[in-house]
Amino acid sequence: NMLDFVFAVDDSVTWHMMNLLKNRSHYSFLKVFGPKQISSIQSYGAGIYYNTLVPCNGRMIKYGVISTDTLVDDLLHWKTLYVAGRLQKPVKILTQNENSKLQAALVSNLKSAVTAAFLMLPESFSEEDLYMQIAGLSYSGDFRMVIGEDRLKVQNIVKPNVPHFQKLYSNILQDCPQVVYKHHLGRLEASIDKSPEGQFAQLMALPRTLQQKITSLVDPPGKNRDVEEILLQVAHDPDCGFVVHQGRPRSV
C-alpha cells in the first residue's frame, strides 16, 4: 500500500545535495557521508537509491533515484530489469523532459517485452495471456513460467489494469504484423510465427543481456561460438520458449 516513486535525474550528486538540504530526514544514517558517497552507493546493484518510509500528505511513500543514463541502459539492455521491468507495466509518469534518447528507450523496452512474451507464449493466445506474460517477465526478477501462487499475484496486477495495459501497448501491437489488434472490441487475435526462422528473428531482437544469458545457458564453456550462431540453434529447439524463460537477469 506504499506509494512508490522513481526519479530519473541527470546529475545524481547535485540532486542528492539539494534533497539533503530540503529533506535530510528522508535519508538513513548514510546522510552523514554526503551526496557524493550516496551517489556512489546508488551506482551499485540496480543503480537506484531508495529512501523508504517517508511520510507525505498523511500516507507513507518511498522514492528511488536513478541516473538517466543508468535507466536508459536498463531499458535498452535489461542489465537488471529492475526499473525497466516496472516500466513494462502501467505507471503514472508525473513529469518528463524532452530527452529523445530516454523516450526512444522507453518504447524499446515495451517492444522488447512484447518480443520476449511472444517467444514464451504458444502460437495463439489471448490479450490477457500476453499481459500476464509481460507482467511476469520481471516478477521476482526472472523469466520463469508464471504458475501457482506467482500466477495469482501476477493476475492481481493484470486483471484490474487491462485497460491500462491496452493503452500502454496499443501502438506497438497495432504496428505488429503478427497481431490483429481490435481495440474497439477490446480483443487481440495473434498468430505467432513459431518456425525456426520466425523465432530466430525474435531472438535477435531481444535485449543484449537476455541474449547473453541464453548464450551462457546453451553454449558450453570453451566453445566460444558467436551469439548469432547460438541463437540460431535455440531457434530450432522445440523448447525455445523455455530457454528464454531460463535467461534471467537477477534483479536486486
Side-chain angles (χ1 to χ4, degrees):
N1 294 323
M2 187 179 296
L3 194 58
D4 188 349
F5 293 86
V6 173
F7 299 112
V9 302
D10 293 338
D11 184 343
S12 296
V13 175
T14 299
W15 194 93
H16 285 296
M17 180 180 69
M18 300 299 295
N19 198 42
L20 281 165
L21 291 173
K22 295 180 65 175
N23 300 299
R24 190 173 180 83
S25 64
H26 293 182
Y27 289 81
S28 69
F29 71 94
L30 293 173
K31 58 178 171 278
V32 302
F33 296 109
K36 288 186 179 180
Q37 187 63 34
I38 292 172
S39 297
S40 177
I41 293 169
Q42 177 184 309
S43 66
Y44 288 96
I48 187 166
Y49 177 90
Y50 261 99
N51 283 328
T52 62
L53 300 175
V54 176
C56 181
N57 294 335
R59 66 179 300 174
M60 299 300 287
I61 70 167
K62 61 179 179 178
Y63 60 91
V65 183
I66 187 170
S67 77
T68 305
D69 288 343
T70 299
L71 174 58
V72 168
D73 186 64
D74 197 34
L75 291 167
L76 292 177
H77 305 302
W78 292 6
K79 183 178 180 182
T80 68
L81 205 61
Y82 189 89
V83 179
R86 293 169 184 230
L87 292 171
Q88 291 164 0
K89 296 180 273 290
V91 299
K92 176 68 173 177
I93 297 180
L94 298 176
T95 184
Q96 189 172 359
N97 63 21
E98 298 300 318
N99 186 323
S100 59
K101 189 176 179 181
L102 177 56
Q103 298 274 9
L106 287 165
V107 174
S108 176
N109 181 45
L110 299 181
K111 289 180 177 178
S112 295
V114 170
T115 300
F118 281 174
L119 281 161
M120 292 182 285
L121 286 162
E123 187 174 355
S124 297
F125 51 85
S126 70
E127 184 173 13
E128 187 174 296
D129 289 337
L130 174 63
Y131 300 144
M132 284 281 292
Q133 194 63 254
I134 289 172
L137 287 177
S138 60
Y139 192 76
S140 298
D142 63 41
F143 291 85
R144 64 192 172 194
M145 292 183 178
V146 183
I147 57 175
E149 183 182 356
D150 292 340
R151 184 175 182 85
L152 291 176
K153 290 179 179 179
V154 174
Q155 280 180 338
N156 290 336
I157 295 172
V158 174
K159 283 186 176 294
N161 291 296
V162 167
H164 299 294
F165 274 95
Q166 289 174 330
K167 183 177 180 181
L168 187 60
Y169 286 97
S170 61
N171 289 340
I172 291 169
L173 295 175
Q174 286 168 359
D175 291 339
C176 180
Q178 296 174 309
V179 171
V180 178
Y181 190 60
K182 299 180 178 180
H183 183 71
H184 61 290
L185 298 176
R187 189 170 72 245
L188 174 149
E189 296 176 2
S191 181
I192 304 304
D193 183 0
K194 291 293 182 178
S195 69
E197 294 78 13
Q199 294 193 138
F200 178 65
Q202 291 170 350
L203 288 164
M204 290 297 293
L206 291 174
R208 182 179 63 203
T209 300
L210 180 50
Q211 289 181 339
Q212 292 170 343
K213 294 286 186 180
I214 292 170
T215 298
S216 64
L217 285 171
V218 175
D219 195 37
K223 281 199 170 184
N224 296 321
R225 294 183 296 164
D226 61 39
V227 172
E228 186 171 342
E229 181 185 355
I230 296 166
L231 294 182
L232 183 60
Q233 174 187 329
V234 174
H236 283 80
D237 190 333
D239 293 324
C240 174
F242 181 73
V243 176
V244 176
H245 273 290
Q246 300 308 302
R248 46 179 69 183
R250 305 292 184 175
S251 75
V252 180

PDB file of all heavy atoms in Angstrom, residues 38-64:
ATOM      1  N   ILE A  38      26.589   8.995  -1.279  1.00  0.00           N
ATOM      2  CA  ILE A  38      25.257   8.439  -1.559  1.00  0.00           C
ATOM      3  C   ILE A  38      25.135   8.100  -3.037  1.00  0.00           C
ATOM      4  O   ILE A  38      24.627   7.039  -3.415  1.00  0.00           O
ATOM      5  CB  ILE A  38      24.159   9.425  -1.125  1.00  0.00           C
ATOM      6  CG1 ILE A  38      24.145   9.548   0.396  1.00  0.00           C
ATOM      7  CG2 ILE A  38      22.792   8.980  -1.640  1.00  0.00           C
ATOM      8  CD1 ILE A  38      23.236  10.639   0.920  1.00  0.00           C
ATOM      9  N   SER A  39      25.624   8.982  -3.906  1.00  0.00           N
ATOM     10  CA  SER A  39      25.585   8.728  -5.349  1.00  0.00           C
ATOM     11  C   SER A  39      26.455   7.537  -5.726  1.00  0.00           C
ATOM     12  O   SER A  39      26.117   6.769  -6.628  1.00  0.00           O
ATOM     13  CB  SER A  39      26.046   9.964  -6.121  1.00  0.00           C
ATOM     14  OG  SER A  39      25.170  11.044  -5.901  1.00  0.00           O
ATOM     15  N   SER A  40      27.570   7.381  -5.008  1.00  0.00           N
ATOM     16  CA  SER A  40      28.436   6.232  -5.257  1.00  0.00           C
ATOM     17  C   SER A  40      27.735   4.933  -4.875  1.00  0.00           C
ATOM     18  O   SER A  40      27.776   3.944  -5.612  1.00  0.00           O
ATOM     19  CB  SER A  40      29.734   6.388  -4.466  1.00  0.00           C
ATOM     20  OG  SER A  40      30.568   5.251  -4.623  1.00  0.00           O
ATOM     21  N   ILE A  41      27.054   4.939  -3.737  1.00  0.00           N
ATOM     22  CA  ILE A  41      26.286   3.761  -3.314  1.00  0.00           C
ATOM     23  C   ILE A  41      25.164   3.482  -4.299  1.00  0.00           C
ATOM     24  O   ILE A  41      24.853   2.327  -4.609  1.00  0.00           O
ATOM     25  CB  ILE A  41      25.736   3.992  -1.893  1.00  0.00           C
ATOM     26  CG1 ILE A  41      26.885   4.040  -0.890  1.00  0.00           C
ATOM     27  CG2 ILE A  41      24.728   2.916  -1.513  1.00  0.00           C
ATOM     28  CD1 ILE A  41      26.486   4.532   0.491  1.00  0.00           C
ATOM     29  N   GLN A  42      24.558   4.531  -4.809  1.00  0.00           N
ATOM     30  CA  GLN A  42      23.469   4.392  -5.784  1.00  0.00           C
ATOM     31  C   GLN A  42      23.900   3.610  -7.016  1.00  0.00           C
ATOM     32  O   GLN A  42      23.098   2.911  -7.636  1.00  0.00           O
ATOM     33  CB  GLN A  42      22.980   5.788  -6.189  1.00  0.00           C
ATOM     34  CG  GLN A  42      21.894   5.821  -7.246  1.00  0.00           C
ATOM     35  CD  GLN A  42      21.547   7.246  -7.631  1.00  0.00           C
ATOM     36  OE1 GLN A  42      21.282   8.084  -6.762  1.00  0.00           O
ATOM     37  NE2 GLN A  42      21.575   7.545  -8.917  1.00  0.00           N
ATOM     38  N   SER A  43      25.169   3.714  -7.379  1.00  0.00           N
ATOM     39  CA  SER A  43      25.642   3.095  -8.628  1.00  0.00           C
ATOM     40  C   SER A  43      25.744   1.579  -8.541  1.00  0.00           C
ATOM     41  O   SER A  43      25.887   0.915  -9.565  1.00  0.00           O
ATOM     42  CB  SER A  43      27.006   3.677  -9.014  1.00  0.00           C
ATOM     43  OG  SER A  43      27.997   3.315  -8.051  1.00  0.00           O
ATOM     44  N   TYR A  44      25.661   1.010  -7.336  1.00  0.00           N
ATOM     45  CA  TYR A  44      25.772  -0.434  -7.184  1.00  0.00           C
ATOM     46  C   TYR A  44      24.437  -1.117  -7.492  1.00  0.00           C
ATOM     47  O   TYR A  44      23.378  -0.486  -7.504  1.00  0.00           O
ATOM     48  CB  TYR A  44      26.230  -0.793  -5.764  1.00  0.00           C
ATOM     49  CG  TYR A  44      27.682  -0.471  -5.494  1.00  0.00           C
ATOM     50  CD1 TYR A  44      28.039   0.723  -4.877  1.00  0.00           C
ATOM     51  CD2 TYR A  44      28.691  -1.348  -5.881  1.00  0.00           C
ATOM     52  CE1 TYR A  44      29.364   1.032  -4.628  1.00  0.00           C
ATOM     53  CE2 TYR A  44      30.026  -1.041  -5.648  1.00  0.00           C
ATOM     54  CZ  TYR A  44      30.354   0.142  -5.016  1.00  0.00           C
ATOM     55  OH  TYR A  44      31.671   0.454  -4.788  1.00  0.00           O
ATOM     56  N   GLY A  45      24.509  -2.426  -7.722  1.00  0.00           N
ATOM     57  CA  GLY A  45      23.294  -3.212  -7.925  1.00  0.00           C
ATOM     58  C   GLY A  45      22.492  -2.731  -9.121  1.00  0.00           C
ATOM     59  O   GLY A  45      23.006  -2.645 -10.236  1.00  0.00           O
ATOM     60  N   ALA A  46      21.241  -2.407  -8.874  1.00  0.00           N
ATOM     61  CA  ALA A  46      20.349  -1.968  -9.952  1.00  0.00           C
ATOM     62  C   ALA A  46      20.523  -0.503 -10.300  1.00  0.00           C
ATOM     63  O   ALA A  46      19.824   0.021 -11.170  1.00  0.00           O
ATOM     64  CB  ALA A  46      18.893  -2.240  -9.569  1.00  0.00           C
ATOM     65  N   GLY A  47      21.451   0.194  -9.609  1.00  0.00           N
ATOM     66  CA  GLY A  47      21.729   1.591  -9.938  1.00  0.00           C
ATOM     67  C   GLY A  47      20.685   2.560  -9.422  1.00  0.00           C
ATOM     68  O   GLY A  47      20.540   3.657  -9.961  1.00  0.00           O
ATOM     69  N   ILE A  48      19.974   2.154  -8.370  1.00  0.00           N
ATOM     70  CA  ILE A  48      18.927   3.029  -7.827  1.00  0.00           C
ATOM     71  C   ILE A  48      19.077   3.112  -6.315  1.00  0.00           C
ATOM     72  O   ILE A  48      19.384   2.118  -5.646  1.00  0.00           O
ATOM     73  CB  ILE A  48      17.519   2.525  -8.236  1.00  0.00           C
ATOM     74  CG1 ILE A  48      16.436   3.518  -7.811  1.00  0.00           C
ATOM     75  CG2 ILE A  48      17.247   1.142  -7.703  1.00  0.00           C
ATOM     76  CD1 ILE A  48      15.086   3.259  -8.462  1.00  0.00           C
ATOM     77  N   TYR A  49      18.893   4.316  -5.780  1.00  0.00           N
ATOM     78  CA  TYR A  49      18.982   4.541  -4.335  1.00  0.00           C
ATOM     79  C   TYR A  49      17.586   4.876  -3.813  1.00  0.00           C
ATOM     80  O   TYR A  49      16.912   5.768  -4.345  1.00  0.00           O
ATOM     81  CB  TYR A  49      19.937   5.695  -4.028  1.00  0.00           C
ATOM     82  CG  TYR A  49      20.020   6.029  -2.555  1.00  0.00           C
ATOM     83  CD1 TYR A  49      20.962   5.417  -1.736  1.00  0.00           C
ATOM     84  CD2 TYR A  49      19.135   6.941  -1.983  1.00  0.00           C
ATOM     85  CE1 TYR A  49      21.030   5.709  -0.377  1.00  0.00           C
ATOM     86  CE2 TYR A  49      19.194   7.239  -0.633  1.00  0.00           C
ATOM     87  CZ  TYR A  49      20.135   6.617   0.166  1.00  0.00           C
ATOM     88  OH  TYR A  49      20.200   6.902   1.503  1.00  0.00           O
ATOM     89  N   TYR A  50      17.142   4.174  -2.774  1.00  0.00           N
ATOM     90  CA  TYR A  50      15.793   4.375  -2.236  1.00  0.00           C
ATOM     91  C   TYR A  50      15.815   5.016  -0.861  1.00  0.00           C
ATOM     92  O   TYR A  50      16.595   4.635   0.019  1.00  0.00           O
ATOM     93  CB  TYR A  50      15.059   3.034  -2.122  1.00  0.00           C
ATOM     94  CG  TYR A  50      14.106   2.787  -3.274  1.00  0.00           C
ATOM     95  CD1 TYR A  50      14.473   1.989  -4.346  1.00  0.00           C
ATOM     96  CD2 TYR A  50      12.841   3.381  -3.293  1.00  0.00           C
ATOM     97  CE1 TYR A  50      13.613   1.772  -5.403  1.00  0.00           C
ATOM     98  CE2 TYR A  50      11.966   3.171  -4.346  1.00  0.00           C
ATOM     99  CZ  TYR A  50      12.351   2.369  -5.395  1.00  0.00           C
ATOM    100  OH  TYR A  50      11.490   2.166  -6.452  1.00  0.00           O
ATOM    101  N   ASN A  51      14.931   5.990  -0.684  1.00  0.00           N
ATOM    102  CA  ASN A  51      14.522   6.462   0.629  1.00  0.00           C
ATOM    103  C   ASN A  51      13.138   5.872   0.898  1.00  0.00           C
ATOM    104  O   ASN A  51      12.228   6.028   0.072  1.00  0.00           O
ATOM    105  CB  ASN A  51      14.462   7.990   0.688  1.00  0.00           C
ATOM    106  CG  ASN A  51      15.835   8.610   0.802  1.00  0.00           C
ATOM    107  OD1 ASN A  51      16.744   8.040   1.398  1.00  0.00           O
ATOM    108  ND2 ASN A  51      15.999   9.802   0.227  1.00  0.00           N
ATOM    109  N   THR A  52      12.979   5.188   2.019  1.00  0.00           N
ATOM    110  CA  THR A  52      11.733   4.474   2.305  1.00  0.00           C
ATOM    111  C   THR A  52      11.067   5.032   3.561  1.00  0.00           C
ATOM    112  O   THR A  52      11.667   5.786   4.327  1.00  0.00           O
ATOM    113  CB  THR A  52      12.005   2.974   2.493  1.00  0.00           C
ATOM    114  OG1 THR A  52      12.881   2.795   3.618  1.00  0.00           O
ATOM    115  CG2 THR A  52      12.670   2.383   1.257  1.00  0.00           C
ATOM    116  N   LEU A  53       9.803   4.638   3.735  1.00  0.00           N
ATOM    117  CA  LEU A  53       9.029   5.019   4.932  1.00  0.00           C
ATOM    118  C   LEU A  53       9.037   6.523   5.143  1.00  0.00           C
ATOM    119  O   LEU A  53       9.287   7.026   6.246  1.00  0.00           O
ATOM    120  CB  LEU A  53       9.567   4.290   6.169  1.00  0.00           C
ATOM    121  CG  LEU A  53       9.526   2.755   6.116  1.00  0.00           C
ATOM    122  CD1 LEU A  53      10.202   2.164   7.356  1.00  0.00           C
ATOM    123  CD2 LEU A  53       8.090   2.259   6.015  1.00  0.00           C
ATOM    124  N   VAL A  54       8.763   7.244   4.062  1.00  0.00           N
ATOM    125  CA  VAL A  54       8.745   8.706   4.121  1.00  0.00           C
ATOM    126  C   VAL A  54       7.295   9.167   4.262  1.00  0.00           C
ATOM    127  O   VAL A  54       6.466   8.891   3.389  1.00  0.00           O
ATOM    128  CB  VAL A  54       9.360   9.314   2.844  1.00  0.00           C
ATOM    129  CG1 VAL A  54       9.245  10.834   2.865  1.00  0.00           C
ATOM    130  CG2 VAL A  54      10.812   8.878   2.694  1.00  0.00           C
ATOM    131  N   PRO A  55       6.935   9.845   5.351  1.00  0.00           N
ATOM    132  CA  PRO A  55       5.560  10.345   5.486  1.00  0.00           C
ATOM    133  C   PRO A  55       5.316  11.512   4.528  1.00  0.00           C
ATOM    134  O   PRO A  55       6.142  12.418   4.407  1.00  0.00           O
ATOM    135  CB  PRO A  55       5.481  10.804   6.950  1.00  0.00           C
ATOM    136  CG  PRO A  55       6.892  11.054   7.362  1.00  0.00           C
ATOM    137  CD  PRO A  55       7.761  10.149   6.532  1.00  0.00           C
ATOM    138  N   CYS A  56       4.173  11.459   3.846  1.00  0.00           N
ATOM    139  CA  CYS A  56       3.848  12.513   2.866  1.00  0.00           C
ATOM    140  C   CYS A  56       2.332  12.633   2.743  1.00  0.00           C
ATOM    141  O   CYS A  56       1.666  11.670   2.346  1.00  0.00           O
ATOM    142  CB  CYS A  56       4.479  12.183   1.514  1.00  0.00           C
ATOM    143  SG  CYS A  56       4.165  13.412   0.231  1.00  0.00           S
ATOM    144  N   ASN A  57       1.807  13.789   3.104  1.00  0.00           N
ATOM    145  CA  ASN A  57       0.366  14.058   2.975  1.00  0.00           C
ATOM    146  C   ASN A  57      -0.491  12.963   3.613  1.00  0.00           C
ATOM    147  O   ASN A  57      -1.466  12.491   3.025  1.00  0.00           O
ATOM    148  CB  ASN A  57      -0.015  14.223   1.503  1.00  0.00           C
ATOM    149  CG  ASN A  57       0.611  15.446   0.881  1.00  0.00           C
ATOM    150  OD1 ASN A  57       0.943  16.413   1.578  1.00  0.00           O
ATOM    151  ND2 ASN A  57       0.807  15.428  -0.430  1.00  0.00           N
ATOM    152  N   GLY A  58      -0.097  12.525   4.783  1.00  0.00           N
ATOM    153  CA  GLY A  58      -0.910  11.587   5.525  1.00  0.00           C
ATOM    154  C   GLY A  58      -0.740  10.134   5.155  1.00  0.00           C
ATOM    155  O   GLY A  58      -1.480   9.270   5.644  1.00  0.00           O
ATOM    156  N   ARG A  59       0.223   9.826   4.286  1.00  0.00           N
ATOM    157  CA  ARG A  59       0.471   8.423   3.949  1.00  0.00           C
ATOM    158  C   ARG A  59       1.971   8.194   3.828  1.00  0.00           C
ATOM    159  O   ARG A  59       2.760   9.132   3.846  1.00  0.00           O
ATOM    160  CB  ARG A  59      -0.242   8.027   2.649  1.00  0.00           C
ATOM    161  CG  ARG A  59       0.292   8.721   1.410  1.00  0.00           C
ATOM    162  CD  ARG A  59      -0.450   8.259   0.163  1.00  0.00           C
ATOM    163  NE  ARG A  59      -0.301   6.814  -0.037  1.00  0.00           N
ATOM    164  CZ  ARG A  59      -0.949   6.137  -0.992  1.00  0.00           C
ATOM    165  NH1 ARG A  59      -1.787   6.767  -1.802  1.00  0.00           N
ATOM    166  NH2 ARG A  59      -0.766   4.849  -1.135  1.00  0.00           N
ATOM    167  N   MET A  60       2.346   6.937   3.694  1.00  0.00           N
ATOM    168  CA  MET A  60       3.760   6.593   3.580  1.00  0.00           C
ATOM    169  C   MET A  60       4.127   6.412   2.107  1.00  0.00           C
ATOM    170  O   MET A  60       3.377   5.808   1.332  1.00  0.00           O
ATOM    171  CB  MET A  60       4.069   5.313   4.335  1.00  0.00           C
ATOM    172  CG  MET A  60       3.784   5.394   5.829  1.00  0.00           C
ATOM    173  SD  MET A  60       4.726   6.685   6.674  1.00  0.00           S
ATOM    174  CE  MET A  60       6.349   5.926   6.669  1.00  0.00           C
ATOM    175  N   ILE A  61       5.287   6.949   1.734  1.00  0.00           N
ATOM    176  CA  ILE A  61       5.785   6.770   0.375  1.00  0.00           C
ATOM    177  C   ILE A  61       7.244   6.293   0.451  1.00  0.00           C
ATOM    178  O   ILE A  61       7.875   6.339   1.503  1.00  0.00           O
ATOM    179  CB  ILE A  61       5.714   8.076  -0.445  1.00  0.00           C
ATOM    180  CG1 ILE A  61       6.747   9.100   0.071  1.00  0.00           C
ATOM    181  CG2 ILE A  61       4.312   8.655  -0.447  1.00  0.00           C
ATOM    182  CD1 ILE A  61       6.962  10.278  -0.863  1.00  0.00           C
ATOM    183  N   LYS A  62       7.730   5.820  -0.668  1.00  0.00           N
ATOM    184  CA  LYS A  62       9.162   5.598  -0.835  1.00  0.00           C
ATOM    185  C   LYS A  62       9.524   6.139  -2.205  1.00  0.00           C
ATOM    186  O   LYS A  62       8.679   6.214  -3.098  1.00  0.00           O
ATOM    187  CB  LYS A  62       9.527   4.115  -0.720  1.00  0.00           C
ATOM    188  CG  LYS A  62       8.891   3.202  -1.756  1.00  0.00           C
ATOM    189  CD  LYS A  62       9.355   1.764  -1.559  1.00  0.00           C
ATOM    190  CE  LYS A  62       8.709   0.822  -2.581  1.00  0.00           C
ATOM    191  NZ  LYS A  62       9.188  -0.570  -2.435  1.00  0.00           N
ATOM    192  N   TYR A  63      10.776   6.552  -2.351  1.00  0.00           N
ATOM    193  CA  TYR A  63      11.175   7.047  -3.672  1.00  0.00           C
ATOM    194  C   TYR A  63      12.611   6.640  -3.968  1.00  0.00           C
ATOM    195  O   TYR A  63      13.479   6.650  -3.111  1.00  0.00           O
ATOM    196  CB  TYR A  63      10.991   8.565  -3.795  1.00  0.00           C
ATOM    197  CG  TYR A  63      11.759   9.439  -2.836  1.00  0.00           C
ATOM    198  CD1 TYR A  63      13.030   9.918  -3.173  1.00  0.00           C
ATOM    199  CD2 TYR A  63      11.211   9.822  -1.625  1.00  0.00           C
ATOM    200  CE1 TYR A  63      13.730  10.745  -2.312  1.00  0.00           C
ATOM    201  CE2 TYR A  63      11.894  10.655  -0.744  1.00  0.00           C
ATOM    202  CZ  TYR A  63      13.158  11.110  -1.097  1.00  0.00           C
ATOM    203  OH  TYR A  63      13.850  11.934  -0.238  1.00  0.00           O
ATOM    204  N   GLY A  64      12.793   6.235  -5.212  1.00  0.00           N
ATOM    205  CA  GLY A  64      14.107   5.837  -5.682  1.00  0.00           C
ATOM    206  C   GLY A  64      14.679   6.869  -6.622  1.00  0.00           C
ATOM    207  O   GLY A  64      13.942   7.568  -7.332  1.00  0.00           O
TER     208      GLY A  64
END
